[in-house]
Amino acid sequence: MPALDGMRVLDMTQYEAGTSCTQALAWQGADVVKVEPPGVGDPGRGLTTEGRPPQYFLNYNSNKRSIVIDLASERGRELLLDLAPRFDVFVENYGPGVIEKLNIGYDVLRERNPSIIYARIKGFGLSGPYADFKCFDSVALAAGGAYSINGEPDGPPMRPGASYGDTGTGLQMALAIVSAYVQQQRTGEGQLIELSMQEAVTFFMKTMGREAWGTDREAQRLGNGLGAPTNVYPCKPGGKNDYVHICVVTSRMWDTFCVALERPDLATDPRFETAASRGKHRAELYAEVEQWTLQRTKYEAMHVLASAGVPCTAVLSTRDLRTDPHLCERGLFEHHEHPEYGTIELMRQPVRMSGSTVPIELAPAYGQHTSEVLEADLGLASEQIEELCASGVVA
C-alpha cells in the first residue's frame, strides 16, 4: 500500500516551489487534485521551447489530477469551499495577497473543514518587512545567502545552478505537511503551516556559514576548492564538462590519494606534508594533480581514484546524467508514452521504500479531471457540470 494512501490534497500551486511539494506527496500515494485557473492554467505549462514537450511541467506534476475553477467568480469560490471538507490538505504558493484577494484564507477554509492542514509557501513569509515582496528561485537563493558563497574567491557572488530555492523549499514543506498529517490523524486537529523560501535556503547555509555566523567576517566564497587538493581538474579530451572532481579531506585520504596517483613522492614532499602546507602551496599541488588527470578521461580518472577509496566523481552534465550507466541501471529516468507528445522522459522519485511503491503517472492535461472530481466529491450531475462549463466557472 502506498505510504500516504488516503491523504487528499487540494493543490493550488504553480511553477516549482509548490508543485515540487505536492508532487512529493503524490509520489508517496496522496490523491493530489491540482486546482488551476481558467485560461492557461499553471504558468509552468508554458515554460517550454516551441515544438518540444513541456518537460518543466511534466516533471513536476506527475501523479496529480487537474481541475479548472474560476476562483474569481463567486460560484467558483463556493465550489472550492465545498470541496474543502473532503480534503486533508490545502497547499498554495501564489504571490503575496492573491489568496487574501480571493478570500480563501486559512480561517475561511477552516470554517468548512476544522481539521484542514493549510500550507503556504511564500518568498519571505507572511510577516516581516519583506512579506509583500515577490520571489522566485534566484531571488530566494540570493536572499538566503547561497549567492554569497558561490563563485570564485575573488569574483562576484554567483547563482547556484540547481533550484534549491524552489525544490528545496518544496521538499521542506512536504515534510512539514506529512508531520502535520500524522498529528491530524492522532488528534483530529489541523493547522496552518507557513514556509519562507528565504528561510528554507538559509537552512542549507548552516555548514557553509558556520565560521562566519555572528561575526564581521563574511563566509568565504568557495569556488571549487575546499582545501587542497580538493578541486575540479581538467581531463581529456578537453571538452566543456571534461572535468573530474576530487575530494580529499583527511590525512588518510591524502595518503590514499598519493598511492592511487602512483606519486608517493607527493606524500613526502615538504610542501604537501600537512593540510596547512598543502593550502599554502595549493597552486603547485593543483598543477601536479592536473598532469595526471589530463592523461585520462573524467570517467577513467573517477574509476581509478574511486576504486582506490578516494571520494571523487566525473563532473556530469545534464546530458551525461541521462546516459550515466549507474543512474540507468538504477532506473532513475523512465520513458512513458504521452498522448500528445509521444515518448517522454520523466524522473522517478529518488526515495525508495520497500513497503510503498507508487508508479509514475503522466502529468494531467489542463482540466482533465474537472468533471470526475465534481461528480465524485460534490455529487454534481453531468447537466450541472455542463452548465458550469458553459458559464466559464469551470473547464
Side-chain angles (χ1 to χ4, degrees):
M1 181 180 78
L4 294 181
D5 186 45
M7 176 193 278
R8 302 200 68 202
V9 181
L10 268 178
D11 172 7
M12 195 171 156
T13 66
Q14 58 179 347
Y15 291 115
E16 185 176 335
T19 56
S20 61
C21 166
T22 52
Q23 180 169 68
L25 301 175
W27 272 348
Q28 295 298 338
D31 176 22
V32 176
V33 175
K34 187 176 181 71
V35 182
E36 301 191 66
V40 297
D42 180 344
R45 290 183 180 274
L47 296 182
T48 184
T49 303
E50 186 175 354
R52 299 186 62 186
Q55 287 293 138
Y56 182 89
F57 181 84
L58 295 174
N59 267 297
Y60 281 103
N61 291 280
S62 58
N63 293 68
K64 302 179 185 180
R65 296 191 287 165
S66 168
I67 64 174
V68 175
I69 303 178
D70 181 6
L71 296 176
S73 69
E74 188 57 36
R75 181 69 179 109
R77 176 178 174 274
E78 282 299 321
L79 286 174
L80 182 76
L81 297 181
D82 289 342
L83 287 170
R86 301 181 177 275
F87 287 80
D88 303 289
V89 182
F90 176 86
V91 188
E92 68 90 10
N93 71 314
Y94 275 67
V98 173
I99 292 298
E100 288 73 17
K101 184 178 180 180
L102 294 172
N103 193 22
I104 52 173
Y106 175 51
D107 291 340
V108 175
L109 264 63
R110 186 172 57 172
E111 288 183 4
R112 298 292 185 98
N113 181 359
S115 64
I116 198 164
I117 297 165
Y118 194 108
R120 307 193 69 179
I121 294 174
K122 291 287 174 283
F124 297 95
L126 298 175
S127 62
Y130 307 158
D132 292 333
F133 293 177
K134 293 182 178 180
C135 187
F136 283 86
D137 176 77
S138 61
V139 177
L141 290 169
Y147 271 54
S148 74
I149 61 167
N150 203 42
E152 292 302 319
D154 298 325
M158 185 178 293
R159 178 177 65 87
S163 53
Y164 307 112
D166 274 337
T167 292
T169 300
L171 293 179
Q172 290 182 51
M173 178 59 88
L175 173 61
I177 290 171
V178 171
S179 301
Y181 183 66
V182 172
Q183 185 176 1
Q184 180 205 63
Q185 297 302 295
R186 290 172 175 169
T187 67
E189 297 178 359
Q191 58 187 289
L192 173 66
I193 306 174
E194 172 204 348
L195 181 56
S196 151
M197 293 173 67
Q198 181 192 29
E199 292 170 16
V201 171
T202 303
F203 176 82
F204 293 117
M205 288 288 292
K206 296 195 299 293
T207 299
M208 295 298 106
R210 64 188 182 279
E211 296 177 357
W213 288 117
T215 72
D216 291 331
R217 189 175 71 81
E218 292 289 337
Q220 181 182 3
R221 196 153 297 138
L222 299 176
N224 291 312
L226 289 167
T230 297
N231 209 336
V232 295
Y233 295 90
C235 297
K236 67 176 187 182
K240 186 176 181 180
N241 283 294
D242 285 322
Y243 288 84
V244 64
H245 171 64
I246 302 169
C247 181
V248 176
V249 296
T250 68
S251 296
R252 179 176 293 181
M253 287 181 191
W254 166 246
D255 292 338
T256 301
F257 179 55
C258 293
V259 171
L261 291 184
E262 298 182 340
R263 291 290 307 276
D265 58 298
L266 293 179
T268 57
D269 190 314
R271 296 173 299 170
F272 312 134
E273 282 184 328
T274 66
S277 63
R278 289 193 290 274
K280 183 178 180 180
H281 298 280
R282 69 178 65 232
E284 299 153 81
L285 180 52
Y286 290 161
E288 295 281 0
V289 177
E290 187 175 296
Q291 290 180 26
W292 184 87
T293 62
L294 282 172
Q295 299 175 46
R296 295 161 176 82
T297 68
K298 61 184 181 182
Y299 289 103
E300 291 169 344
M302 175 178 70
H303 283 289
V304 169
L305 297 176
S307 297
V310 178
C312 74
T313 179
V315 174
L316 301 183
S317 67
T318 54
R319 182 175 182 176
D320 292 332
L321 290 172
R322 294 175 64 187
T323 58
D324 181 68
H326 182 76
L327 293 179
C328 288
E329 183 175 317
R330 289 177 56 82
L332 181 62
F333 300 101
E334 298 183 2
H335 292 89
H336 295 262
E337 289 302 315
H338 193 283
E340 183 177 354
Y341 305 114
T343 302
I344 62 171
E345 185 177 74
L346 298 175
M347 190 185 300
R348 66 160 171 80
Q349 65 163 321
V351 176
R352 295 186 176 195
M353 300 172 67
S354 64
S356 175
T357 302
V358 181
I360 286 184
E361 297 177 3
L362 296 176
Y366 171 73
Q368 179 179 344
H369 304 95
T370 301
S371 296
E372 175 182 296
V373 171
L374 294 181
E375 180 180 352
D377 284 312
L378 301 184
L380 297 186
S382 58
E383 295 81 5
Q384 293 174 292
I385 297 173
E386 289 173 5
E387 182 181 340
L388 289 170
C389 287
S391 62
V393 174
V394 302

